Amino acid sequence: MTERITASYWIETAFGLQDAAATMAGEQSTGTFVRVPGETDELREAYAARVEEIIELGQVSSPSLPGSGLPKNGNTIRRTARVTLSWPIANFGLSLPNLLATIAGNLSELKAFSGLKLLDIKLPSIFLDKYQGPQFGVAGTRKLAGVYNRPIIGTIIKPSVGFSPEATAEQVKVLLASGVDFIKDDELQSDGPHCPFDKRVKAVMKVIREHRDKTGKMVMYAANLTGEIDEMLARHDLVLAEGGTCIMASLNSIGLPALKVLRAHSQLPIHGHRNGWGMLGRSPAIGMSFIAYQKLWRLAGIDHTHVNGLDNKFCEENDSVIASAQECLTPMFDKPAIGCEIMPVFSSGQSVHQVAKTYAAMGTTDLMYAAGGGILAHPMGPAAGVTSLMQAWEAAVSGVLAHEAAIGQPELAAALGVKR
Amino acid sequence: MTERITASYWIETAFGLQDAAATMAGEQSTGTFVRVPGETDELREAYAARVEEIIELGQVSSPSLPGSGLPKNGNTIRRTARVTLSWPIANFGLSLPNLLATIAGNLSELKAFSGLKLLDIKLPSIFLDKYQGPQFGVAGTRKLAGVYNRPIIGTIIKPSVGFSPEATAEQVKVLLASGVDFIKDDELQSDGPHCPFDKRVKAVMKVIREHRDKTGKMVMYAANLTGEIDEMLARHDLVLAEGGTCIMASLNSIGLPALKVLRAHSQLPIHGHRNGWGMLGRSPAIGMSFIAYQKLWRLAGIDHTHVNGLDNKFCEENDSVIASAQECLTPMFDKPAIGCEIMPVFSSGQSVHQVAKTYAAMGTTDLMYAAGGGILAHPMGPAAGVTSLMQAWEAAVSGVLAHEAAIGQPELAAALGVKR
């Protein structure tokens, strides 16, 4: 195993950038604060992390995070930089849990830094010897959903909690009647005592199968099976037995090893919910970018993941949303050319209003586009809501302005609020 | 399941504190941005999260995090507060993964907040119906290590990576000869191709058993088995078969469900390494405090965890270190009175110099005290290093100043740098 992995970081420090980067490399490979006996030059050459690149970015007026130290030379000016380190795989082997301890580990707590965030990672494709990557990805998901040449239009079961299995199925009936392609559980509802997973899935799948028998359309239902490992495997089996075509898990709740087990067992696409990612991703000064984050989960086997949406109701900027979504569709490896591409899921306040700019930014319809109010609150009803979204996407792909396309398409017109 | 769990947060917002807290409660229970059909008053009463308490803390001059919004009333003053919410367990059941999605989830990304950090959680003891908690804890660890009435003195194998199994065993021999009670792998070394777990454990346990046969002292070795679930279970079995008395895992690398499986399988104490915690814990404006964090892992089954140390080489303040350590020894539940207490592990730049104030702050010796340079770099050699630490603790417990105790105790005198 002579290949290396690289990881890039945003750093903020009052220390010399070379010294600061060397501290990072030392702490996360052979180093300790004091050189110990046995730490020979040969050993350092073979196992030490390397500083590959330092790009200085600018100064800051005050430290972003508390607890940082200042160098003995009296400098108090804090500079920022993008630092890239590399490690030989020989240090940790083909192991995502141990890779994580290496690229993250204690780095965030180093005193030399008043800011340190993991921005990106690059892994060699030898990791595919151990990890399976997405089983379905974009093409497999399209096939199961029977949706081509446009986004998969999705929606979510609301309220998040409180519905009984029967009430959930009633709500799903309403959503099915709208013509939607994809329905997901809320991340807050997995197996609450008043809406147990098994009863909910049986009730929901019954109405989904009935809908299929009537219309020929098999709607994809992402059943939230988040839980302990044995529970998740049993729940997967139930979804499969009920004819379901998707499972969903909260990634931060279950961890990479549990996802690996689920992926190995699963015969269904895994809808990876990133809730809790804000803890890692929101601050520019600490944590992990979604660019790095999603690579770990793709390799471990998710098929879809959430990327927020343009003009969303959360705090994420549009540029960040688009970068995340594009990354999901960008091949992870050069050779072999196995991309591990997954479906980005746009959601949060999405409606016909964001369609044109989403397509302009993405240049593809390989995505899921999930709307709540944009479907249920359509003035002509939920079916018109779904139709209006499809019309908006068709217009965007055809290069027609939404307002022009709305002429003769009353659902889109109503969604856009066009006066007649 | 009529019990409720509570979670407390530090928040920073320009919105009214009542409104902001209500937004949090809504987002993480029945709510959505728009009230939907079916979301009745009865349903809200039964399932909505409740705002239990709001303690205003003060104003900030600028937003701690980017992306926050301002209220329509024109207010731009951002206030901070400690907010406590509660949820009925009926919303998610006895499930730590789903609890996590509820108490963390999308909260950090809400636009109303320019800062939001989880500070603490309180769970009812009914969770013990599902989770096992620590198997060994303080008493069980002491029994296995044969150490009573003083801290367990520990050290770490360095360099972190690069040693072969044989070289690791040679290093362990040196550490054993020092008289140390506890030796741990580095978190960067689990199963690297040049130091495979199985070969390392066999080589290390051989010298540990030889040491036991010679001295009667069974030194506890925390073998870092971090990896995939099947790997971790097999590695546990090997450690057990080799007569080992401890296993170690990187918590953030493996996740709660994997730890639950490991705990159910394990016959050994689990040394829970918190590396990566800085990503969650370092910023005061986002993430999760160690107080909340360690409760999740204790319930899932760890027996020891790292708390940094006083005057450590990382960025953490002493007050935070002591609060974390005290929390590990504080009972988690009132009734039944099962405390799930675990051993706090002090490490990072620890030496005789921090002993007196560590004891003064903790008021107990129920802890592990790990030193690297404080042992290996002792001027009279590693054995004197360990002896000096034990002398320093004995002095502290007896209420004798270290410099006074050093008279007639040359190891302590040398460690303190006392001139003769």
Side-chain angles (χ1 to χ4, degrees):
Chain A
M1 291 196 200
T2 55
E3 287 112 324
R4 300 177 77 85
I5 65 119
T6 67
S8 300
Y9 303 84
W10 178 90
I11 64 165
E12 178 186 297
T13 183
F15 289 78
L17 295 178
Q18 279 290 349
D19 288 351
T23 302
M24 295 169 69
E27 172 70 15
Q28 293 308 99
S29 60
T30 60
T32 172
F33 290 108
V34 182
R35 199 183 257 234
V36 294
E39 195 181 338
T40 62
D41 288 345
E42 293 73 20
L43 186 150
R44 287 180 81 91
E45 177 61 30
Y47 299 101
R50 262 188 229 147
V51 179
E52 298 286 352
E53 189 177 42
I54 300 174
I55 301 171
E56 188 169 348
L57 298 172
Q59 297 180 6
V60 289
S61 53
S62 60
S64 295
L65 296 174
S68 66
L70 292 170
K72 288 178 182 157
N73 66 10
N75 178 54
T76 58
I77 295 168
R78 288 182 164 83
R79 291 183 293 171
T80 63
R82 184 181 174 111
V83 167
T84 301
L85 307 181
S86 75
W87 288 259
I89 296 180
N91 284 29
F92 43 81
L94 300 177
S95 169
L96 288 183
N98 290 301
L99 171 78
L100 198 55
T102 298
I103 60 174
N106 290 330
L107 276 180
S108 311
E109 296 183 64
L110 288 178
K111 209 165 190 147
F113 301 91
S114 50
L116 190 150
K117 183 171 182 171
L118 178 62
L119 296 180
D120 200 359
I121 53 175
K122 288 213 166 62
L123 309 179
S125 58
I126 192 174
F127 272 90
L128 291 169
D129 290 356
K130 173 119 174 215
Y131 294 93
Q132 296 177 283
Q135 183 175 189
F136 291 85
V138 174
T141 298
R142 283 199 175 285
K143 196 172 169 190
L144 280 176
V147 175
Y148 302 94
N149 303 315
R150 62 169 177 82
I152 292 177
I153 305 295
T155 193
I156 185 169
I157 298 165
K158 287 275 182 189
S160 319
V161 291
F163 273 164
S164 65
E166 297 71 29
T168 306
E170 282 304 310
Q171 171 79 340
V172 168
K173 253 190 204 170
V174 173
L175 299 173
L176 289 169
S178 75
V180 79
D181 305 314
F182 175 88
I183 298 170
K184 68 177 275 292
D185 278 332
D186 195 276
E187 73 271 18
L188 297 177
Q189 184 57 278
S190 170
D191 186 45
H194 292 280
C195 194
F197 183 87
D198 291 7
K199 285 189 179 165
R200 182 173 76 254
V201 164
K202 284 177 186 169
V204 167
M205 285 311 305
K206 182 165 177 287
V207 300
I208 288 178
R209 288 193 308 266
E210 286 167 2
H211 180 75
R212 177 200 60 198
D213 295 345
K214 205 167 60 184
T215 66
K217 183 177 177 73
M218 183 65 199
V219 171
M220 183 174 274
Y221 166 50
N224 180 10
L225 52 61
T226 303
E228 305 302 336
I229 292 163
D230 52 348
E231 294 169 343
M232 291 196 287
L233 300 186
R235 289 172 190 162
H236 162 275
D237 294 351
L238 177 73
V239 173
L240 190 68
E242 290 287 327
T245 55
C246 191
I247 54 175
M248 162 176 149
S250 290
L251 302 178
N252 296 307
S253 292
I254 70 168
L256 288 162
L259 181 65
K260 185 176 192 293
V261 169
L262 186 61
R263 165 65 180 89
H265 181 84
S266 185
Q267 299 181 46
L268 300 169
I270 300 172
H271 190 82
H273 203 293
R274 74 173 190 181
N275 70 80
W277 172 74
M279 280 198 176
L280 291 171
R282 183 172 175 187
S283 169
I286 197 157
M288 190 189 297
S289 81
F290 191 70
I291 305 299
Y293 175 88
Q294 51 91 43
K295 286 185 182 173
L296 300 171
W297 296 101
R298 280 163 68 183
L299 192 50
I302 58 169
D303 295 283
H304 320 145
T305 197
H306 287 240
V307 296
N308 224 326
L310 295 184
D311 307 332
N312 61 77
K313 306 228 174 180
F314 291 107
C315 60
E316 192 174 358
E317 297 289 337
N318 287 346
D319 286 353
S320 172
V321 172
I322 293 300
S324 297
Q326 285 174 334
E327 191 67 30
C328 291
L329 292 166
T330 302
M332 268 185 72
F333 306 111
D334 296 334
K335 44 183 182 161
I338 296 175
C340 294
E341 293 94 342
I342 61 170
M343 275 277 187
V345 184
F346 287 75
S347 68
S348 173
Q350 299 301 286
S351 70
V352 293
H353 295 286
Q354 295 103 326
V355 166
K357 54 181 166 180
T358 300
Y359 182 69
M362 291 297 294
T364 178
T365 59
D366 283 341
L367 54 93
M368 292 186 170
Y369 198 75
I375 292 174
L376 287 176
H378 191 284
M380 297 161 65
V386 171
T387 301
S388 70
L389 287 168
M390 292 181 182
Q391 289 167 343
W393 272 98
E394 197 184 341
V397 172
S398 308
V400 177
L401 291 175
H403 278 78
E404 287 177 17
I407 302 167
Q409 300 199 106
E411 299 88 353
L412 181 55
L416 290 167
V418 177
K419 304 272 184 215
R420 296 278 132 196
Chain B
M1 292 196 199
T2 55
E3 288 111 323
R4 302 177 75 85
I5 64 120
T6 66
S8 301
Y9 304 83
W10 177 90
I11 64 165
E12 179 186 297
T13 182
F15 288 77
L17 295 178
Q18 278 290 351
D19 288 352
T23 301
M24 295 169 70
E27 172 70 15
Q28 291 310 98
S29 60
T30 59
T32 172
F33 290 108
V34 182
R35 199 184 256 235
V36 295
E39 195 181 339
T40 60
D41 289 344
E42 293 73 22
L43 187 149
R44 287 180 81 91
E45 177 60 29
Y47 300 101
R50 263 188 229 147
V51 179
E52 298 285 351
E53 189 176 43
I54 301 175
I55 302 171
E56 189 168 346
L57 299 172
Q59 297 181 7
V60 290
S61 53
S62 61
S64 295
L65 296 174
S68 64
L70 293 170
K72 287 179 183 157
N73 67 10
N75 177 54
T76 58
I77 295 168
R78 288 182 165 83
R79 291 183 292 170
T80 64
R82 183 181 173 110
V83 167
T84 301
L85 307 181
S86 76
W87 288 259
I89 296 180
N91 283 30
F92 43 80
L94 299 176
S95 169
L96 288 183
N98 290 301
L99 170 78
L100 199 56
T102 298
I103 60 174
N106 290 330
L107 275 180
S108 312
E109 296 183 63
L110 289 177
K111 209 164 189 149
F113 302 91
S114 51
L116 190 151
K117 183 171 182 172
L118 178 62
L119 296 180
D120 201 358
I121 53 174
K122 287 211 167 63
L123 309 180
S125 59
I126 192 175
F127 272 91
L128 290 169
D129 290 356
K130 173 117 175 218
Y131 294 92
Q132 297 178 281
Q135 183 175 190
F136 292 86
V138 174
T141 298
R142 283 199 176 284
K143 196 172 170 191
L144 280 175
V147 175
Y148 301 95
N149 303 315
R150 61 168 178 82
I152 292 177
I153 304 295
T155 192
I156 186 170
I157 298 165
K158 287 275 182 187
S160 320
V161 291
F163 274 163
S164 66
E166 296 72 29
T168 306
E170 282 304 311
Q171 170 79 341
V172 168
K173 253 190 203 170
V174 173
L175 300 173
L176 289 170
S178 74
V180 79
D181 306 312
F182 175 88
I183 298 171
K184 68 177 275 292
D185 279 332
D186 195 275
E187 74 271 16
L188 298 177
Q189 183 58 278
S190 170
D191 186 46
H194 292 280
C195 192
F197 182 87
D198 292 6
K199 286 189 179 163
R200 181 173 75 255
V201 165
K202 284 179 187 169
V204 168
M205 285 311 304
K206 182 165 176 289
V207 300
I208 288 178
R209 289 193 307 266
E210 286 167 0
H211 180 75
R212 177 200 60 196
D213 295 345
K214 205 166 59 184
T215 65
K217 183 178 176 73
M218 184 64 199
V219 170
M220 183 174 272
Y221 166 50
N224 180 10
L225 52 60
T226 303
E228 305 303 336
I229 292 164
D230 52 348
E231 294 169 344
M232 292 196 286
L233 300 187
R235 289 172 192 162
H236 162 275
D237 294 351
L238 177 73
V239 173
L240 190 68
E242 290 287 327
T245 55
C246 191
I247 54 174
M248 162 176 150
S250 290
L251 302 178
N252 296 307
S253 291
I254 71 169
L256 288 162
L259 180 64
K260 186 176 192 294
V261 169
L262 186 60
R263 165 64 180 89
H265 181 84
S266 185
Q267 299 181 47
L268 299 169
I270 301 172
H271 191 82
H273 203 293
R274 74 174 192 182
N275 70 80
W277 172 74
M279 279 197 175
L280 291 170
R282 183 172 176 187
S283 170
I286 197 159
M288 190 187 299
S289 81
F290 190 68
I291 305 298
Y293 176 88
Q294 51 90 45
K295 286 186 182 173
L296 300 170
W297 297 101
R298 279 163 69 184
L299 192 51
I302 58 170
D303 296 283
H304 320 146
T305 196
H306 287 240
V307 297
N308 223 326
L310 295 185
D311 306 332
N312 61 77
K313 307 229 176 181
F314 291 106
C315 60
E316 192 174 358
E317 297 289 336
N318 288 347
D319 287 353
S320 172
V321 171
I322 294 299
S324 297
Q326 286 174 334
E327 191 67 29
C328 291
L329 292 167
T330 302
M332 268 184 74
F333 306 111
D334 297 334
K335 43 179 185 167
I338 297 173
C340 293
E341 293 93 342
I342 61 169
M343 275 276 188
V345 184
F346 287 76
S347 68
S348 174
Q350 297 303 286
S351 70
V352 294
H353 296 285
Q354 295 102 326
V355 166
K357 55 182 167 179
T358 300
Y359 182 68
M362 292 296 293
T364 178
T365 59
D366 282 342
L367 54 93
M368 293 185 169
Y369 198 76
I375 292 174
L376 287 175
H378 191 283
M380 296 160 66
V386 171
T387 300
S388 70
L389 288 168
M390 292 181 183
Q391 290 167 343
W393 273 98
E394 196 183 341
V397 172
S398 308
V400 177
L401 290 175
H403 277 78
E404 288 177 17
I407 302 168
Q409 298 200 108
E411 299 88 350
L412 181 55
L416 291 167
V418 176
K419 303 273 182 214
R420 296 278 132 196

